[in-house]
Amino acid sequence: MRRSLFGALLGASFGDCGRGWPRQLGTAVCSADGFACRSGGNELITNVTATDGAALTVTVIDPKQRVMAVYHVDRGTGEITPKSVRNLTWDLQMIEFNSGSPLPQDIRNGLKR
């Protein structure tokens, strides 16, 4: 039961994407590992990150609405927990943002010398 639920969840996340090789089905293009799919046009982009012993992290990006959502999927129960949803519109309008050194301004200043 758990395997079928888990399989159905991943299948729903990937749409027509398969595992094992890059391929294109209709307008969906998938990575070689089967964990990332992008459909043509303004359709959803999905990515699944699997870390040993941790919940699966499913990232869904809607390029049309410029929104990103992150979910954790419990491997044992299949329970989906929303972790974060963010509208990227304002993020993408920042000129620069960097939380560590060197800052973009420091690099620019160094190149001007």
Side-chain angles (χ1 to χ4, degrees):
M1 172 77 176
R2 279 191 222 178
R3 284 187 182 266
S4 61
L5 178 61
F6 184 69
L9 174 65
L10 286 179
S13 296
F14 299 134
D16 287 330
C17 293
R19 299 186 90 205
W21 64 90
R23 64 181 179 161
Q24 183 168 350
L25 295 172
T27 59
V29 179
C30 306
S31 69
D33 63 6
F35 282 103
C37 282
R38 179 183 173 120
S39 297
N42 288 325
E43 296 178 26
L44 298 179
I45 300 166
T46 62
N47 186 62
V48 177
T49 304
T51 305
D52 289 339
L56 293 174
T57 300
V58 179
T59 304
V60 180
I61 300 172
D62 183 339
K64 186 174 183 178
Q65 294 185 32
R66 293 184 165 204
V67 173
M68 178 175 76
V70 178
Y71 303 90
H72 282 178
V73 181
D74 184 281
R75 292 174 187 245
T77 65
E79 180 181 351
I80 302 170
T81 306
K83 299 309 275 183
S84 179
V85 177
R86 184 170 183 145
N87 185 316
L88 302 172
T89 300
W90 306 114
D91 293 0
L92 298 174
Q93 292 184 26
M94 287 190 281
I95 294 171
E96 61 187 47
F97 177 82
N98 195 341
S99 59
S101 294
L103 297 172
Q105 183 64 38
D106 298 336
I107 295 170
R108 271 194 301 273
N109 290 340
L111 292 173
K112 289 181 182 179
R113 293 181 198 178

